[in-house]
Amino acid sequence: MNSKPLMAGLIAALFGAVPVHAAESLVTYKTLSPEMALDLANAALTDCRTRGYQVAVAVVDRFGATQVMLRDRFAGPHTPVTATGKAWTAVSFRTDTTDLVVLTQPGMPQAGVRQLSAAVILGGGMMIQAGGFLMGAIGVSGAPGGDADDLCAKAGIAAI
């Protein structure tokens, strides 16, 4: 007796009884539009200007890809790379960079994060969240300290 047809029938019956939905294998997520990312960056830059700071502002999407980079005319040449690094770090580790300053101190379980070449562990990188979704992150560089960078980033986020 050939058991292959019987086995094939059993397998078909078994899998036929368990519905397989194509939709379950798809992931849906929200992301910032380029216009929204630009509005956010402009608001952060404007806030920094009113405080007397010349900065660069970067906005990255939820995957860490840069959507917007703005550099004020007198911001240092290091600020675009630093702002982008802060935004990338915040979205990559799902943690604002000011919090990472504390969490990655020597002797802490996450101290190794500081050894990653792309990670920038300085204040000024903040996650952008809306409706329970991580939308991306903003990074600000050039104000006199991470706390001042954070204030500009918060103003940008509040604007959208």
Side-chain angles (χ1 to χ4, degrees):
M1 179 174 157
N2 188 351
S3 63
K4 285 185 181 180
L6 178 61
M7 186 61 106
L10 284 171
I11 290 172
L14 178 63
F15 284 108
V18 179
V20 178
H21 300 284
E24 291 177 1
S25 39
L26 301 175
V27 176
T28 302
Y29 62 89
K30 296 181 184 276
T31 189
L32 295 171
S33 69
E35 296 80 13
M36 182 78 64
L38 183 58
D39 289 347
L40 181 118
N42 274 319
L45 183 68
T46 299
D47 186 76
C48 272
R49 281 181 173 171
T50 63
R51 297 172 190 275
Y53 309 144
Q54 290 284 305
V55 301
V57 179
V59 177
V60 301
D61 66 14
R62 65 179 290 114
F63 305 109
T66 304
Q67 281 191 280
V68 174
M69 163 49 63
L70 298 176
R71 180 187 159 270
D72 215 339
R73 62 190 157 220
F74 300 120
H78 67 284
T79 59
V81 172
T82 306
T84 302
K86 289 178 181 186
W88 179 90
T89 301
V91 79
S92 292
F93 296 99
R94 311 289 196 260
T95 307
D96 294 342
T97 56
T98 295
D99 295 336
L100 284 173
V101 169
V102 175
L103 295 171
T104 62
Q105 290 294 319
M108 298 294 286
Q110 295 177 342
V113 168
R114 289 176 179 254
Q115 304 306 313
L116 299 174
S117 62
V120 177
I121 312 296
L122 300 168
M126 304 187 97
M127 294 181 295
I128 303 164
Q129 298 179 333
F133 291 96
L134 177 63
M135 308 291 284
I138 182 172
V140 177
S141 177
D147 56 340
D149 288 332
D150 278 348
L151 290 173
C152 298
K154 286 178 186 175
I157 293 169
I160 61 164

